[in-house]
Amino acid sequence: MIVLTLDAPETAHVDRPSVSLSGTDRDVTWEVTSEDGAVVENELTNEGGEIAFPSVGNYTVTASVTDHLGRTFSASATIAVWDTMGLSFQLPEFARPDETVKVKMTSTNLGENQVEWSLAVDGQPVSLPAGIKGSLDNAGGSVKFLQTGTNVLTASVTDGLGRAFTYEQTIEVSPVLHLKLTADVAVHTDEQISVTLEKDTSLPVAWSVTPSNDPGTAAAYSGELSDTSGTIQITNAGAYDISASVTDATGRVFSFDGPSIEVLVDQELRVDMVERQVYTGETVQVRTL
């Protein structure tokens, strides 16, 4: 008499079922059938192996051996096969704390299960309230990533068998750059304009000096503007606008418009008086030219 021991799970996922057999050194004949009697092809060996189930449902696995007397001995097990769940979403490569990022979740076989979201920044776990502004659910959501660095957003869900399915995406969060520009607001054509720029980045600065009434045309000036300050001189009277900008690695431009500068004509004041002798108390007529 041959006693076969068939080790098979009561429940399994469609992508992971496996069985094992012990109790014999003879060749084993396997049969796998669905609950409606359909035969499932398999590649099980004398020791068992993995089964590629075509779909979810209940399946019966039977192992049979025949001894030298022609007697057949068998062992059977029923496996309830569950489907796997899938999660997927996309994030842009870059973002900044002032930008809203849309997270659109795509899921399969989720059912009534709830997606759990988690976040890590530069390899360290961060609570969602501290790391994002906004909310995420089974459909995703719209959020702002608050902390700069390498952000890894993870979605996970656990099914009734205790198996967890996860998906993660990485997004680089760059800081929002700030510029502050100050300049003299009124000078004469023979005077220099002092310009100062405060910034929280080492990126090179692009300067723009234009007439207020023609912002598309560059104004002529002498002098030099560096990444932090400079002095220039404009010899044509009028109102002018000055601005500074930097462009980060993602192509976003951060700019700051300085004050409007009034360039005035340097006027020479002359006094015209008739040269003659006068007495004290006498009125003298004076004209300015």
Side-chain angles (χ1 to χ4, degrees):
M1 181 177 180
I2 300 174
V3 179
L4 301 176
T5 301
L6 178 59
D7 185 12
E10 294 183 359
T11 56
H13 290 93
V14 69
D15 65 336
R16 285 187 174 179
S18 62
V19 297
S20 62
L21 183 70
S22 61
T24 182
D25 56 1
R26 293 181 173 272
D27 289 339
V28 179
T29 300
W30 292 92
E31 183 179 65
V32 181
T33 57
S34 66
E35 51 194 316
D36 59 5
V39 177
V40 177
E41 296 292 332
N42 67 84
E43 297 181 358
L44 297 171
T45 68
N46 288 349
E47 290 77 29
E50 294 186 351
I51 306 171
F53 291 109
S55 60
V56 299
N58 295 315
Y59 292 84
T60 301
V61 181
T62 302
S64 301
V65 296
T66 302
D67 68 7
H68 65 285
L69 298 176
R71 295 178 299 176
T72 299
F73 302 89
S74 62
S76 297
T78 299
I79 304 175
V81 177
W82 289 45
D83 213 340
T84 58
M85 291 188 286
L87 301 174
S88 178
F89 61 91
Q90 297 296 320
L91 293 177
E93 186 177 0
F94 300 102
R96 296 166 193 82
D98 63 344
E99 296 174 346
T100 298
V101 176
K102 185 174 180 60
V103 183
K104 184 179 181 180
M105 170 64 76
T106 300
S107 62
T108 55
N109 305 315
L110 191 59
E112 298 299 321
N113 295 285
Q114 296 298 310
V115 176
E116 299 290 335
W117 295 89
S118 60
L119 181 68
V121 180
D122 292 335
Q124 299 299 316
V126 174
S127 68
L128 290 184
I132 65 171
K133 181 179 181 180
S135 60
L136 295 167
D137 55 24
N138 282 13
S142 295
V143 299
K144 291 181 178 179
F145 290 89
L146 303 179
Q147 297 192 19
T148 59
T150 301
N151 284 239
V152 179
L153 183 64
T154 302
S156 62
V157 62
T158 303
D159 68 9
L161 298 182
R163 179 177 173 182
F165 300 85
T166 64
Y167 187 83
E168 66 180 32
Q169 281 276 287
T170 299
I171 182 171
E172 293 293 335
V173 181
S174 304
V176 176
L177 304 181
H178 299 89
L179 308 175
K180 183 180 179 181
L181 191 159
T182 57
D184 298 326
V185 296
V187 295
H188 290 96
T189 54
D190 63 343
E191 296 175 329
Q192 291 188 327
I193 303 167
S194 178
V195 180
T196 302
L197 179 66
E198 299 175 28
K199 57 189 179 73
D200 55 5
T201 176
S202 60
L203 290 171
V205 178
W207 293 92
S208 173
V209 182
T210 60
S212 298
N213 60 357
D214 188 10
T217 301
Y221 63 87
S222 60
E224 184 176 340
L225 295 170
S226 69
D227 279 353
T228 57
S229 62
T231 55
I232 61 174
Q233 184 176 355
I234 301 175
T235 57
N236 294 322
Y240 293 86
D241 296 323
I242 183 168
S243 65
S245 64
V246 295
T247 303
D248 70 7
T250 69
R252 178 171 169 179
V253 177
F254 298 84
S255 62
F256 188 91
D257 295 329
S260 181
I261 302 170
E262 190 73 25
V263 179
L264 307 172
V265 175
D266 182 28
Q267 293 184 336
E268 181 182 357
L269 183 63
R270 291 186 301 162
V271 178
D272 182 40
M273 297 179 61
V274 178
E275 185 178 350
R276 66 181 180 84
Q277 187 176 18
V278 295
Y279 297 96
T280 57
E282 183 180 356
T283 302
V284 178
Q285 186 178 23
V286 178
R287 293 185 304 165
T288 60
L289 302 178

